[in-house]
Amino acid sequence: MTALYLSIVLAPLFGAVIAGLFRNWIGRGGAHWVTIVSVAVSAGLSLYALYGHVVLDWPVYNENLYTWLVAGNYGFHIGFLVDHLTVLMMSVVTFVSLMVHIYTIGYMHDDPGYQRFFSYISLFTFSMLVLVMANNFLQLFVGWEAVGLVSYLLIGFWFKRETAVTANMKAFLVNRVGDFGFLLGIAGVLMVFGSLDYATVFAAAPAHATETVTWVGSQPWSVMTILCLLLFVGAMGKSAQVPLHVWLPDSMEGPTPISALIHAATMVTAGIFMVARMSPLYELSETALSFILVIGAITALFMGLVGLVQNDIKRVVAYSTLSQLGYMTVALGASAYSAAIFHLMTHAFFKALLFLAAGSVIIAMHHEQDMRKMGGLRKYMPWTFLTAWVGTLALTGMPGFSGFFSKDAIIEAVHHADRAGSDFAYWSVLLGVLITALYSFRMIYLTFHGQERMDEKTRSHLHESPWVVTLPLVVLAIPSVVIGWLTFEPILFGDFFDGVIFVQPAHDVLARMGEDVHGGLSFVLHGLTGAPFYLALTGFAVASWVYLKQPELAERMARLFAPLVSLLERKYFMDDLYMKVLAGLGRVSGTALWKAGDQTVIDGLLVNGSAKTVGFMAGVLRHLQTGRIYHYVFAMLAGVVVLAAHFLF
């Protein structure tokens, strides 16, 4: 089994190395073939491992491959933990990555950095596999940082654009804040448990459940709460939760394929996966779970509202990702870890589909991304049009589509939760359904329906994208429809995550839900009478009326609610807070320290001051060297008088 798992994780690395270091030898075709074949091997073996664990009942694999470092009594290892959660993540990551690799052939066809891009996205896949397959916190952190590094390279791939450089630096700095908390959490785990091995830590966790420490003031804090909150700070950065969300919309400065990969299956899902993996720890801290619940609810609701006023097609999908990550985080806070992972999986397919469909539109529009300059594209791009509709119906949670099963399961789970903040979270995710439908159908109508608003030159060249672009769209559309039907019961109400995800009986909201659920069809029929369906239907009806029948109504509403629209367009002034206040204070304090500390104290006083003092003293003392003998005799006599006076008196 070791050889199988090593092949899965190392195949994308092999492709990345060959495409990156030998790109001039293998050429453009060689770069895409070696990376696509490598990722295809990884995807095929991951699906085989999924089949083996789920159908053939393979045992959990938890082995250390070698010892990386020994420091005193601590040993740090490289190893794999492969269970149902791992194989599910491996399959989703590699399958979506494979579709993105194929799509990239068409999207990046004329880009001078063609080989470099293929090397980066293959390396991204390798980094994510290292993260999800880790069996210890240190290896998790290595994969965590590797994902961050490659995302930095990919967001700023077009490094000659100032906006791209700003965006990748923003992503890097914001994630450093999250990763600092994450690293403190890992250090705390080592201090408390004396080990970074998952199995050891999880087994010992109940013994530390009531342990406290005086951290701030004289108030005792639960050790588990501190550890869980610090670890979740890392998840807030990687999975873009408020207030560490600001980097994700700007990541759209990278090429569309990497937007799909980051937002669908890799970087942003790392935090969700991490919390689910750490469920034995989080179940011991009610405070941490309530905090997660509220943060996720704020992100789901308020980031969805910002999506309503976006005109860049990629940014609409980006804010949709932020909102959906909020739904996953809410599920984690409600102890519905299985529902969070279920939504992570379904979201990966339809969100990758929507991003790649947006990229197909951008290709046809000669890299125009403003939806106000589109319209009527359905007759020019039928495959993109149909698959984009499938992705939208899945995103909005229309009954029968994959997003319906996972999103409605989260809403129901939160409704059953009895935890501080659960009421706020329930109404937030419920209202989020209406908002999701509004911005999703607005995007569809502005892009594919209504009056054609592009210029004549663009219209004359409009046509469907090549097959390397449309094929991944069709392939991703299939699971966007059927995957919910196939996996709904085993993941949410079956034994799929038994022994992997741990939930205390008092927190098991999915078990309480399962009492009223009898198969996927009954869940769909129940959904047809539920509030989420009517809210989604309302959003669909309003968007259809406004953007198909009365487009001028949207402009009138924007003028009527101008202050609110301005607030949303400025993204609640969060960017202004970070860039002008926090970064501005940093620059001001840095300038002050440079002028007062570096120039005045160090250079002026210590360095130049010392030199001037030596020069002054030398200028005084050199007058003692006159070259006249009677001056020296007089000095000697004066010295004798001083010494005599000293000894006598």
Side-chain angles (χ1 to χ4, degrees), residues 376-400:
L377 291 181
R378 67 184 187 277
K379 65 181 179 182
Y380 301 102
M381 311 180 70
W383 286 106
T384 303
F385 164 69
L386 290 172
T387 53
W389 260 101
V390 169
T392 300
L393 293 172
L395 170 62
T396 54
M398 289 299 173

PDB file of all heavy atoms in Angstrom, residues 376-400:
ATOM      1  N   GLY A 376     -26.542  37.958 -24.314  1.00  0.00           N
ATOM      2  CA  GLY A 376     -26.919  37.202 -25.502  1.00  0.00           C
ATOM      3  C   GLY A 376     -25.911  36.180 -25.974  1.00  0.00           C
ATOM      4  O   GLY A 376     -25.952  35.753 -27.133  1.00  0.00           O
ATOM      5  N   LEU A 377     -25.027  35.714 -25.110  1.00  0.00           N
ATOM      6  CA  LEU A 377     -23.967  34.796 -25.547  1.00  0.00           C
ATOM      7  C   LEU A 377     -24.460  33.367 -25.742  1.00  0.00           C
ATOM      8  O   LEU A 377     -23.725  32.532 -26.272  1.00  0.00           O
ATOM      9  CB  LEU A 377     -22.821  34.793 -24.521  1.00  0.00           C
ATOM     10  CG  LEU A 377     -21.989  36.073 -24.407  1.00  0.00           C
ATOM     11  CD1 LEU A 377     -20.892  35.898 -23.370  1.00  0.00           C
ATOM     12  CD2 LEU A 377     -21.394  36.464 -25.743  1.00  0.00           C
ATOM     13  N   ARG A 378     -25.688  33.070 -25.344  1.00  0.00           N
ATOM     14  CA  ARG A 378     -26.149  31.681 -25.417  1.00  0.00           C
ATOM     15  C   ARG A 378     -26.178  31.151 -26.841  1.00  0.00           C
ATOM     16  O   ARG A 378     -25.932  29.961 -27.062  1.00  0.00           O
ATOM     17  CB  ARG A 378     -27.522  31.545 -24.770  1.00  0.00           C
ATOM     18  CG  ARG A 378     -28.663  32.243 -25.488  1.00  0.00           C
ATOM     19  CD  ARG A 378     -29.958  32.116 -24.686  1.00  0.00           C
ATOM     20  NE  ARG A 378     -31.107  32.629 -25.411  1.00  0.00           N
ATOM     21  CZ  ARG A 378     -31.459  33.886 -25.474  1.00  0.00           C
ATOM     22  NH1 ARG A 378     -30.705  34.800 -24.841  1.00  0.00           N
ATOM     23  NH2 ARG A 378     -32.515  34.279 -26.145  1.00  0.00           N
ATOM     24  N   LYS A 379     -26.471  31.998 -27.816  1.00  0.00           N
ATOM     25  CA  LYS A 379     -26.547  31.508 -29.198  1.00  0.00           C
ATOM     26  C   LYS A 379     -25.163  31.341 -29.819  1.00  0.00           C
ATOM     27  O   LYS A 379     -25.013  30.638 -30.822  1.00  0.00           O
ATOM     28  CB  LYS A 379     -27.403  32.443 -30.043  1.00  0.00           C
ATOM     29  CG  LYS A 379     -26.840  33.839 -30.241  1.00  0.00           C
ATOM     30  CD  LYS A 379     -27.809  34.673 -31.068  1.00  0.00           C
ATOM     31  CE  LYS A 379     -27.304  36.087 -31.288  1.00  0.00           C
ATOM     32  NZ  LYS A 379     -28.265  36.916 -32.052  1.00  0.00           N
ATOM     33  N   TYR A 380     -24.155  31.957 -29.237  1.00  0.00           N
ATOM     34  CA  TYR A 380     -22.791  31.809 -29.740  1.00  0.00           C
ATOM     35  C   TYR A 380     -22.033  30.691 -29.024  1.00  0.00           C
ATOM     36  O   TYR A 380     -21.121  30.095 -29.592  1.00  0.00           O
ATOM     37  CB  TYR A 380     -22.009  33.117 -29.557  1.00  0.00           C
ATOM     38  CG  TYR A 380     -22.611  34.311 -30.242  1.00  0.00           C
ATOM     39  CD1 TYR A 380     -23.326  35.258 -29.516  1.00  0.00           C
ATOM     40  CD2 TYR A 380     -22.472  34.503 -31.617  1.00  0.00           C
ATOM     41  CE1 TYR A 380     -23.887  36.374 -30.133  1.00  0.00           C
ATOM     42  CE2 TYR A 380     -23.030  35.614 -32.248  1.00  0.00           C
ATOM     43  CZ  TYR A 380     -23.738  36.540 -31.504  1.00  0.00           C
ATOM     44  OH  TYR A 380     -24.282  37.634 -32.124  1.00  0.00           O
ATOM     45  N   MET A 381     -22.398  30.430 -27.782  1.00  0.00           N
ATOM     46  CA  MET A 381     -21.654  29.485 -26.949  1.00  0.00           C
ATOM     47  C   MET A 381     -22.616  28.514 -26.269  1.00  0.00           C
ATOM     48  O   MET A 381     -22.824  28.563 -25.049  1.00  0.00           O
ATOM     49  CB  MET A 381     -20.829  30.248 -25.903  1.00  0.00           C
ATOM     50  CG  MET A 381     -19.995  31.384 -26.463  1.00  0.00           C
ATOM     51  SD  MET A 381     -19.053  32.249 -25.178  1.00  0.00           S
ATOM     52  CE  MET A 381     -17.851  30.991 -24.765  1.00  0.00           C
ATOM     53  N   PRO A 382     -23.221  27.604 -27.010  1.00  0.00           N
ATOM     54  CA  PRO A 382     -24.266  26.738 -26.425  1.00  0.00           C
ATOM     55  C   PRO A 382     -23.757  25.806 -25.333  1.00  0.00           C
ATOM     56  O   PRO A 382     -24.455  25.596 -24.322  1.00  0.00           O
ATOM     57  CB  PRO A 382     -24.786  25.951 -27.638  1.00  0.00           C
ATOM     58  CG  PRO A 382     -23.687  26.036 -28.660  1.00  0.00           C
ATOM     59  CD  PRO A 382     -23.037  27.355 -28.449  1.00  0.00           C
ATOM     60  N   TRP A 383     -22.567  25.230 -25.488  1.00  0.00           N
ATOM     61  CA  TRP A 383     -22.051  24.309 -24.480  1.00  0.00           C
ATOM     62  C   TRP A 383     -21.700  25.053 -23.189  1.00  0.00           C
ATOM     63  O   TRP A 383     -22.018  24.581 -22.084  1.00  0.00           O
ATOM     64  CB  TRP A 383     -20.836  23.550 -25.004  1.00  0.00           C
ATOM     65  CG  TRP A 383     -21.182  22.489 -25.991  1.00  0.00           C
ATOM     66  CD1 TRP A 383     -20.996  22.517 -27.342  1.00  0.00           C
ATOM     67  CD2 TRP A 383     -21.814  21.238 -25.703  1.00  0.00           C
ATOM     68  NE1 TRP A 383     -21.465  21.361 -27.924  1.00  0.00           N
ATOM     69  CE2 TRP A 383     -21.967  20.555 -26.943  1.00  0.00           C
ATOM     70  CE3 TRP A 383     -22.266  20.618 -24.540  1.00  0.00           C
ATOM     71  CZ2 TRP A 383     -22.548  19.292 -27.030  1.00  0.00           C
ATOM     72  CZ3 TRP A 383     -22.844  19.356 -24.621  1.00  0.00           C
ATOM     73  CH2 TRP A 383     -22.980  18.706 -25.854  1.00  0.00           C
ATOM     74  N   THR A 384     -21.057  26.182 -23.336  1.00  0.00           N
ATOM     75  CA  THR A 384     -20.741  26.991 -22.153  1.00  0.00           C
ATOM     76  C   THR A 384     -22.015  27.447 -21.464  1.00  0.00           C
ATOM     77  O   THR A 384     -22.115  27.430 -20.224  1.00  0.00           O
ATOM     78  CB  THR A 384     -19.887  28.206 -22.556  1.00  0.00           C
ATOM     79  OG1 THR A 384     -18.690  27.760 -23.214  1.00  0.00           O
ATOM     80  CG2 THR A 384     -19.514  29.041 -21.349  1.00  0.00           C
ATOM     81  N   PHE A 385     -23.002  27.838 -22.253  1.00  0.00           N
ATOM     82  CA  PHE A 385     -24.295  28.296 -21.723  1.00  0.00           C
ATOM     83  C   PHE A 385     -24.981  27.195 -20.915  1.00  0.00           C
ATOM     84  O   PHE A 385     -25.410  27.415 -19.769  1.00  0.00           O
ATOM     85  CB  PHE A 385     -25.170  28.751 -22.898  1.00  0.00           C
ATOM     86  CG  PHE A 385     -26.624  28.894 -22.577  1.00  0.00           C
ATOM     87  CD1 PHE A 385     -27.077  29.895 -21.730  1.00  0.00           C
ATOM     88  CD2 PHE A 385     -27.558  28.013 -23.133  1.00  0.00           C
ATOM     89  CE1 PHE A 385     -28.431  30.025 -21.447  1.00  0.00           C
ATOM     90  CE2 PHE A 385     -28.903  28.141 -22.849  1.00  0.00           C
ATOM     91  CZ  PHE A 385     -29.344  29.147 -22.002  1.00  0.00           C
ATOM     92  N   LEU A 386     -25.070  26.004 -21.469  1.00  0.00           N
ATOM     93  CA  LEU A 386     -25.764  24.905 -20.790  1.00  0.00           C
ATOM     94  C   LEU A 386     -25.042  24.486 -19.512  1.00  0.00           C
ATOM     95  O   LEU A 386     -25.671  24.281 -18.464  1.00  0.00           O
ATOM     96  CB  LEU A 386     -25.904  23.715 -21.739  1.00  0.00           C
ATOM     97  CG  LEU A 386     -26.880  23.897 -22.912  1.00  0.00           C
ATOM     98  CD1 LEU A 386     -26.773  22.731 -23.881  1.00  0.00           C
ATOM     99  CD2 LEU A 386     -28.313  24.036 -22.390  1.00  0.00           C
ATOM    100  N   THR A 387     -23.730  24.355 -19.592  1.00  0.00           N
ATOM    101  CA  THR A 387     -22.980  23.916 -18.402  1.00  0.00           C
ATOM    102  C   THR A 387     -22.976  24.997 -17.324  1.00  0.00           C
ATOM    103  O   THR A 387     -23.014  24.680 -16.125  1.00  0.00           O
ATOM    104  CB  THR A 387     -21.542  23.539 -18.786  1.00  0.00           C
ATOM    105  OG1 THR A 387     -20.923  24.619 -19.511  1.00  0.00           O
ATOM    106  CG2 THR A 387     -21.522  22.284 -19.650  1.00  0.00           C
ATOM    107  N   ALA A 388     -22.956  26.273 -17.723  1.00  0.00           N
ATOM    108  CA  ALA A 388     -23.028  27.352 -16.734  1.00  0.00           C
ATOM    109  C   ALA A 388     -24.370  27.324 -16.011  1.00  0.00           C
ATOM    110  O   ALA A 388     -24.440  27.577 -14.797  1.00  0.00           O
ATOM    111  CB  ALA A 388     -22.807  28.704 -17.403  1.00  0.00           C
ATOM    112  N   TRP A 389     -25.438  27.002 -16.732  1.00  0.00           N
ATOM    113  CA  TRP A 389     -26.753  26.875 -16.090  1.00  0.00           C
ATOM    114  C   TRP A 389     -26.766  25.713 -15.093  1.00  0.00           C
ATOM    115  O   TRP A 389     -27.331  25.827 -14.004  1.00  0.00           O
ATOM    116  CB  TRP A 389     -27.845  26.682 -17.142  1.00  0.00           C
ATOM    117  CG  TRP A 389     -28.589  27.941 -17.442  1.00  0.00           C
ATOM    118  CD1 TRP A 389     -28.424  28.774 -18.498  1.00  0.00           C
ATOM    119  CD2 TRP A 389     -29.632  28.514 -16.641  1.00  0.00           C
ATOM    120  NE1 TRP A 389     -29.289  29.831 -18.422  1.00  0.00           N
ATOM    121  CE2 TRP A 389     -30.052  29.709 -17.296  1.00  0.00           C
ATOM    122  CE3 TRP A 389     -30.256  28.161 -15.456  1.00  0.00           C
ATOM    123  CZ2 TRP A 389     -31.056  30.531 -16.792  1.00  0.00           C
ATOM    124  CZ3 TRP A 389     -31.263  28.980 -14.948  1.00  0.00           C
ATOM    125  CH2 TRP A 389     -31.649  30.147 -15.613  1.00  0.00           C
ATOM    126  N   VAL A 390     -26.127  24.609 -15.464  1.00  0.00           N
ATOM    127  CA  VAL A 390     -26.056  23.471 -14.539  1.00  0.00           C
ATOM    128  C   VAL A 390     -25.326  23.881 -13.261  1.00  0.00           C
ATOM    129  O   VAL A 390     -25.785  23.611 -12.141  1.00  0.00           O
ATOM    130  CB  VAL A 390     -25.353  22.272 -15.206  1.00  0.00           C
ATOM    131  CG1 VAL A 390     -25.044  21.188 -14.174  1.00  0.00           C
ATOM    132  CG2 VAL A 390     -26.216  21.707 -16.321  1.00  0.00           C
ATOM    133  N   GLY A 391     -24.175  24.545 -13.413  1.00  0.00           N
ATOM    134  CA  GLY A 391     -23.419  24.994 -12.249  1.00  0.00           C
ATOM    135  C   GLY A 391     -24.205  25.967 -11.392  1.00  0.00           C
ATOM    136  O   GLY A 391     -24.157  25.912 -10.153  1.00  0.00           O
ATOM    137  N   THR A 392     -24.956  26.848 -12.027  1.00  0.00           N
ATOM    138  CA  THR A 392     -25.752  27.827 -11.292  1.00  0.00           C
ATOM    139  C   THR A 392     -26.882  27.163 -10.523  1.00  0.00           C
ATOM    140  O   THR A 392     -27.159  27.505  -9.363  1.00  0.00           O
ATOM    141  CB  THR A 392     -26.314  28.879 -12.267  1.00  0.00           C
ATOM    142  OG1 THR A 392     -25.227  29.543 -12.915  1.00  0.00           O
ATOM    143  CG2 THR A 392     -27.171  29.897 -11.537  1.00  0.00           C
ATOM    144  N   LEU A 393     -27.563  26.212 -11.136  1.00  0.00           N
ATOM    145  CA  LEU A 393     -28.639  25.500 -10.449  1.00  0.00           C
ATOM    146  C   LEU A 393     -28.106  24.705  -9.259  1.00  0.00           C
ATOM    147  O   LEU A 393     -28.765  24.601  -8.219  1.00  0.00           O
ATOM    148  CB  LEU A 393     -29.371  24.581 -11.427  1.00  0.00           C
ATOM    149  CG  LEU A 393     -30.170  25.301 -12.529  1.00  0.00           C
ATOM    150  CD1 LEU A 393     -30.678  24.296 -13.559  1.00  0.00           C
ATOM    151  CD2 LEU A 393     -31.336  26.081 -11.922  1.00  0.00           C
ATOM    152  N   ALA A 394     -26.894  24.151  -9.411  1.00  0.00           N
ATOM    153  CA  ALA A 394     -26.280  23.438  -8.285  1.00  0.00           C
ATOM    154  C   ALA A 394     -25.886  24.407  -7.176  1.00  0.00           C
ATOM    155  O   ALA A 394     -26.105  24.144  -5.986  1.00  0.00           O
ATOM    156  CB  ALA A 394     -25.067  22.653  -8.766  1.00  0.00           C
ATOM    157  N   LEU A 395     -25.320  25.549  -7.559  1.00  0.00           N
ATOM    158  CA  LEU A 395     -24.899  26.542  -6.575  1.00  0.00           C
ATOM    159  C   LEU A 395     -26.083  27.089  -5.786  1.00  0.00           C
ATOM    160  O   LEU A 395     -26.001  27.274  -4.561  1.00  0.00           O
ATOM    161  CB  LEU A 395     -24.162  27.693  -7.279  1.00  0.00           C
ATOM    162  CG  LEU A 395     -23.847  28.932  -6.447  1.00  0.00           C
ATOM    163  CD1 LEU A 395     -22.917  28.594  -5.295  1.00  0.00           C
ATOM    164  CD2 LEU A 395     -23.225  30.024  -7.317  1.00  0.00           C
ATOM    165  N   THR A 396     -27.172  27.357  -6.459  1.00  0.00           N
ATOM    166  CA  THR A 396     -28.332  27.939  -5.787  1.00  0.00           C
ATOM    167  C   THR A 396     -29.142  26.912  -5.006  1.00  0.00           C
ATOM    168  O   THR A 396     -30.115  27.269  -4.336  1.00  0.00           O
ATOM    169  CB  THR A 396     -29.251  28.636  -6.809  1.00  0.00           C
ATOM    170  OG1 THR A 396     -29.595  27.708  -7.855  1.00  0.00           O
ATOM    171  CG2 THR A 396     -28.553  29.837  -7.424  1.00  0.00           C
ATOM    172  N   GLY A 397     -28.763  25.641  -5.085  1.00  0.00           N
ATOM    173  CA  GLY A 397     -29.427  24.611  -4.285  1.00  0.00           C
ATOM    174  C   GLY A 397     -30.792  24.219  -4.790  1.00  0.00           C
ATOM    175  O   GLY A 397     -31.686  23.911  -3.991  1.00  0.00           O
ATOM    176  N   MET A 398     -30.965  24.213  -6.110  1.00  0.00           N
ATOM    177  CA  MET A 398     -32.241  23.766  -6.657  1.00  0.00           C
ATOM    178  C   MET A 398     -32.405  22.266  -6.423  1.00  0.00           C
ATOM    179  O   MET A 398     -31.462  21.500  -6.628  1.00  0.00           O
ATOM    180  CB  MET A 398     -32.324  24.102  -8.145  1.00  0.00           C
ATOM    181  CG  MET A 398     -32.486  25.591  -8.415  1.00  0.00           C
ATOM    182  SD  MET A 398     -34.016  26.214  -7.680  1.00  0.00           S
ATOM    183  CE  MET A 398     -33.839  27.987  -7.966  1.00  0.00           C
ATOM    184  N   PRO A 399     -33.567  21.816  -5.985  1.00  0.00           N
ATOM    185  CA  PRO A 399     -33.771  20.406  -5.635  1.00  0.00           C
ATOM    186  C   PRO A 399     -33.339  19.460  -6.750  1.00  0.00           C
ATOM    187  O   PRO A 399     -33.674  19.651  -7.914  1.00  0.00           O
ATOM    188  CB  PRO A 399     -35.274  20.320  -5.381  1.00  0.00           C
ATOM    189  CG  PRO A 399     -35.643  21.691  -4.911  1.00  0.00           C
ATOM    190  CD  PRO A 399     -34.770  22.621  -5.713  1.00  0.00           C
ATOM    191  N   GLY A 400     -32.590  18.428  -6.355  1.00  0.00           N
ATOM    192  CA  GLY A 400     -32.107  17.426  -7.285  1.00  0.00           C
ATOM    193  C   GLY A 400     -30.672  17.642  -7.700  1.00  0.00           C
ATOM    194  O   GLY A 400     -29.984  16.677  -8.070  1.00  0.00           O
TER     195      GLY A 400
END
